[in-house]
Amino acid sequence: QVQLVESGGGLVQAGGSLRLSCAASGSIFSANAMGWYRQAPGKERELVARITRRGIINYADYADSVKGRFTISRDNAKNTVSLQMNSLKPEDTAVYYCNALFGETIHWGQGTQVTVSS
């Protein structure tokens, strides 16, 4: 059972940056995909960014709302996945969750709060 622990959330002004990190308790080398989701109050959880392994190549895809502002990265050696968030907007305020897909098994972290003030 892989455990995921997020860190790096906090309060930031609009236009600022944060870097979220997700540390896995075990190896993520075989994970088919790792990603970041977010859930704002009263809204459904949505995909923010995902990095998918296909053979030896990793492919990243992003929600339209964060393209050009957020960057996801994966470090198999450190068993971490990070999300660099730049040019933050108040609408980015949410709890951000790390996610890992191993075969058909999905693992979730507990989440980290990101609040962007206007």
Side-chain angles (χ1 to χ4, degrees), residues 9-20:
L11 174 64
V12 64
Q13 288 188 333
S17 299
L18 282 175
R19 184 176 180 86
L20 304 182

Side-chain angles (χ1 to χ4, degrees), residues 69-88:
R69 300 188 297 124
F70 291 11
T71 302
I72 189 171
S73 61
R74 172 174 175 170
D75 189 332
N76 288 338
K78 295 182 179 180
N79 295 320
T80 59
V81 61
S82 299
L83 184 69
Q84 178 66 43
M85 305 187 295
N86 299 326
S87 302
L88 283 161

